[in-house]
Amino acid sequence: LDYRFSSVRCKQARVVAQEHYREGLPLHYPTPVHQEHVSRALAAFHRVARGPACAVGSAAVEAECARVWRGGRRLCDATSLTGHPCTHRLHALPSASGE
């Protein structure tokens, strides 16, 4: 009974967490923005979730955030020769040998 209550509570918390993750996100974003929003989502999850299902629910929140990010919203994390971050979606970088 206790695990079932916790499970239901964690499902509700996962919905809240996903809303917090997506709030204010640009169309494409780099790793630091993703990590910041995952932290926000987990904080929102833990404000609502209770009980023994929290660990599983927390892992599910992280996985869902990663799925959204890797599903076409990930921005390249490379730095240009001028020191500016790349502004393109994730792409293959030229090899160091000049190929």
Side-chain angles (χ1 to χ4, degrees):
L1 183 66
D2 190 37
Y3 191 82
R4 190 170 58 188
F5 170 77
S6 177
S7 235
V8 168
R9 188 74 183 219
C10 286
K11 278 185 181 180
Q12 295 168 343
R14 284 173 56 190
V15 172
V16 170
Q18 285 307 308
E19 290 171 1
H20 279 271
Y21 177 75
R22 288 186 167 106
E23 185 177 303
L25 276 178
L27 187 58
H28 301 102
Y29 45 98
T31 302
V33 173
H34 166 70
Q35 291 170 338
E36 177 186 334
H37 281 258
V38 169
S39 294
R40 287 184 196 175
L42 287 172
F45 174 81
H46 287 292
R47 281 193 299 270
V48 178
R50 299 286 181 268
C54 280
V56 173
S58 183
V61 167
E62 288 188 56
E64 175 63 18
C65 292
R67 187 190 65 73
V68 169
W69 184 52
R70 290 189 178 112
R73 300 187 73 162
R74 188 173 182 179
L75 198 63
C76 178
D77 287 321
T79 304
S80 73
L81 295 174
T82 60
H84 298 286
C86 182
T87 58
H88 299 284
R89 291 174 55 186
L90 187 63
H91 56 88
L93 297 174
S95 66
S97 63
E99 293 177 16

